[in-house]
Amino acid sequence: MTDTGSAPLPAADRPGTTARLRDALLAASFTADGLLDLLGAPAYAALARSETVPALRATRGDTPLEALVRLFLLQQPVPSARLAGVLPVDDAVDAGWLTRVGDDEVAATVDVRPYGGTDGEDWFIVSDLGCAVGGAGGIGQRAENVVLGVGGASTTLAGITVRTPVGSALDLGTGSGIQALHAAQHATRVTATDLNPRALDITALTLALSGAPAADLREGSLFEPVREDETFDLIVSNPPFVISPGARLTYRDGGMSGDDLCRTLVQQAGDRLNEGGFAQFLANWQHVEGEDWQERLRSWVPRGCDAWIVQREVQDVTQYAELWLRDAGDHREDPAEYQARYDAWLDEFEARKVKGIGFGWITLRKTAAAEPSVVVEEWPHAVEQPLGDAIRAHFERVVHLREHDDAALLEGHFRLAAEVVQEQVGLPGAEDPEHVVLRQHRGMCRATKVDTIGAGFAGVCDGTLSAGRILDAIAQLVGEDPVALRDRTPAQIRLLVEQGFLEPVGEPVA
């Protein structure tokens, strides 16, 4: 049986064949939308769980699209005659995308999965056979150098990445190339690195088949492939963050002690960023007995960077071990071997006094400020992806608040963010609510309690009046001393700005 992680790959230096293959796939509606229309929502969603039976049932017809789904997504041999006029079969065989099997049948050598870009682009993600879904999917892949496709972590990172136009971007640990593909849409120059040379070859295929510009591909671990004097406007990484006993699987396990790989990656990123540049990572971190996890993460932040770290989930050590043992398919093998591996994970955590593992996002922004802002918080609630604009706006608000003392804040103008609603909580029939809640329906979807003054202030913020003038008007309405109100309200305004309920705006031109 061929090792998936060492099987020959299509030739990346055959652009003509790749372009013809792309045209043929698009002509047959082998796209994200085309798949959804053909398969229906349940079968389409099952593919994302690596379940193929519903899609096999939905592709028993004889249309070109059904043949392509069976060939590239379901890894089923297809008669060459069915592909006549659909694909450039001979060219695809010569270039290594297809191989001839059986009696005049062909099979795919790699998985090719349609993927919709953020602006409706029709892209294709290439991965090893049987590996289209990446990360904690129970795919049972043990090949060390296997290259996975798109998983939940991949799409999460793509969704939180700030997408402003930049001159240079670095995708560190590129895998199948999804982050490099996104970056190529708004970065003049994209560099992609990976410890696994096979991943670099597959990234080149992903970019070429998606019609994207080629990236500068470099082999090596972490920042090793990057020159000492080389800096970037954007760094993204979905690293092998799994905290495990040993470096068993290249695509998954960090290979360093505990969460040292993620810590090292974050700490070294500061020196690789241009002023105002962003570095964005997914990461796992240990919750250690007797240690504040927030302070642990604060210690990771490099000097000269604002940071926003969001913990999205925490698992106890047993849940965590089971998740990743199933990812490798260990639960399907010898029970004694499974138990031994499980014991090894728990021994590792016990030795380090680890009681849980956190998962979340880390965003850095290079700044020359004397006192950078570091926000570490837990937010396990629903959010609205993509979040790139919301994350960029967070750091813009950080800069605004840092540059404005309370007096300047009261001279400023603010606008209530889009889709913020007010909820009043109290007993039925009560004259006054017990408390007032402002709730966002966009971005982080936060909710925060405010007093009646804060609610009234936010409600009239449309950018036309300064904060001080609004407070003076409220003081007159409620019969309160305007000086006292101005003194005690800036802290509440700062909180509303920091959390994105209020947006600073320029003073209107008379």
Side-chain angles (χ1 to χ4, degrees):
M1 183 175 178
T2 301
D3 179 356
T4 302
S6 61
L9 293 172
D13 59 353
R14 301 280 290 272
T17 299
T18 305
R20 286 192 293 275
L21 179 58
R22 171 177 169 78
D23 290 343
L25 297 178
L26 294 176
S29 296
F30 188 68
T31 64
D33 289 341
L35 280 186
L36 182 59
D37 290 342
L38 171 67
L39 302 179
Y44 187 82
L47 278 180
R49 303 190 298 270
S50 294
E51 296 290 349
T52 59
V53 172
L56 284 168
R57 293 174 59 86
T59 55
R60 292 177 290 191
D62 58 2
T63 67
L65 180 55
E66 287 168 294
L68 293 176
V69 172
R70 283 185 164 257
L71 180 67
F72 286 117
L73 288 186
L74 306 178
Q75 280 88 61
Q76 301 294 307
V78 174
S80 299
R82 281 198 64 188
L83 298 172
V86 179
L87 288 180
V89 175
D90 291 339
D91 285 351
V93 169
D94 289 344
W97 289 95
L98 304 177
T99 185
R100 298 193 185 278
V101 296
D103 296 330
D104 197 29
E105 291 185 322
V106 293
T109 60
V110 289
D111 189 294
V112 176
R113 180 155 301 212
Y115 175 77
T118 52
D119 293 323
E121 301 94 342
D122 288 318
W123 293 338
F124 301 98
I125 306 299
V126 180
S127 62
D128 276 316
L129 293 175
C131 303
V133 179
I139 59 174
Q141 283 294 339
R142 290 194 178 88
E144 180 182 355
N145 294 325
V146 73
V147 179
L148 304 188
V150 178
S154 302
T155 54
T156 294
L157 179 58
I160 68 173
T161 300
V162 176
R163 297 294 175 196
T164 52
V166 294
S168 57
L170 171 64
D171 175 15
L172 195 152
T174 186
S176 60
I178 179 175
Q179 310 304 332
L181 182 56
H182 277 282
Q185 310 310 302
H186 63 103
T188 303
R189 175 174 57 88
V190 176
T191 301
T193 71
D194 206 289
L195 180 63
N196 181 4
R198 186 176 182 84
L200 298 178
D201 292 337
I202 283 184
T203 291
L205 296 173
T206 289
L207 294 172
L209 194 59
S210 298
D216 179 4
L217 304 176
R218 306 182 192 176
E219 182 181 345
S221 177
L222 299 180
F223 288 101
E224 289 176 0
V226 178
R227 298 190 307 271
E228 288 187 9
D229 62 345
E230 197 170 9
T231 55
F232 300 88
D233 301 311
L234 173 67
I235 300 172
V236 293
S237 184
N238 176 20
F241 51 63
V242 176
I243 301 170
S244 62
R248 183 181 174 201
L249 300 174
T250 302
Y251 74 84
R252 189 191 75 174
D253 303 314
M256 294 185 183
S257 175
D259 52 17
D260 281 355
L261 182 137
C262 290
R263 176 186 56 79
T264 301
L265 178 61
V266 173
Q267 289 180 335
Q268 292 181 354
D271 291 336
R272 304 297 186 177
L273 281 175
N274 294 325
E275 185 70 20
F278 286 93
Q280 299 188 259
F281 314 102
L282 300 187
N284 280 184
W285 44 78
Q286 298 173 150
H287 283 235
V288 179
E289 185 177 342
E291 182 178 309
D292 186 325
W293 69 269
Q294 291 179 315
E295 289 305 312
R296 179 184 188 85
L297 290 175
R298 286 178 181 275
S299 73
W300 290 11
V301 178
R303 295 174 59 185
C305 288
D306 290 326
W308 185 17
I309 301 174
V310 180
Q311 180 168 274
R312 295 288 290 156
E313 182 182 3
V314 181
Q315 291 187 331
D316 66 47
V317 293
T318 59
Q319 290 175 307
Y320 191 79
E322 290 164 14
L323 172 71
W324 295 108
L325 287 168
R326 288 177 176 274
D327 172 70
D330 293 322
H331 60 300
R332 302 192 186 105
E333 303 299 326
D334 177 37
E337 184 176 347
Y338 173 78
Q339 182 175 342
R341 291 191 184 279
Y342 202 149
D343 271 336
W345 283 66
L346 297 186
D347 285 345
E348 180 83 5
F349 290 138
E350 184 177 346
R352 300 186 178 282
K353 298 184 178 180
V354 176
K355 58 183 180 179
I357 305 295
F359 171 85
W361 322 322
I362 298 176
T363 300
L364 308 176
R365 186 175 187 271
K366 193 67 175 285
T367 177
E371 296 185 15
S373 165
V374 178
V375 177
V376 183
E377 63 174 319
E378 186 167 19
W379 189 253
H381 311 293
V383 298
E384 183 192 51
Q385 284 276 35
L387 273 170
D389 286 345
I391 289 176
R392 174 187 50 77
H394 165 87
F395 285 92
E396 290 176 350
R397 294 193 301 270
V398 163
V399 172
H400 182 88
L401 292 175
R402 184 162 53 212
E403 294 178 346
H404 290 74
D405 60 16
D406 287 354
L409 199 69
L410 293 177
E411 292 298 317
H413 295 245
F414 300 91
R415 178 175 52 234
L416 187 66
E419 297 190 39
V420 172
V421 299
Q422 176 179 306
E423 301 173 357
Q424 297 188 169
V425 180
L427 294 173
E431 184 175 346
D432 296 313
E434 293 178 12
H435 59 262
V436 178
V437 174
L438 298 182
R439 187 178 302 277
Q440 301 167 350
H441 287 278
R442 302 290 300 274
M444 292 294 287
C445 300
R446 296 186 187 276
T448 189
K449 290 182 182 179
V450 293
D451 59 22
T452 54
I453 299 296
F457 176 85
V460 297
C461 278
D462 61 4
T464 58
L465 296 176
S466 70
R469 290 187 62 187
I470 293 174
L471 290 178
D472 290 344
I474 292 175
Q476 186 174 5
L477 284 173
V478 300
E480 187 168 338
D481 180 3
V483 175
L485 190 59
R486 278 175 172 256
D487 285 344
R488 68 178 176 85
T489 306
Q492 191 167 191
I493 297 175
R494 286 186 180 278
L495 178 64
L496 292 176
V497 172
E498 179 183 320
Q499 295 191 345
F501 290 93
L502 295 177
E503 300 170 347
V505 297
E507 185 175 348
V509 179

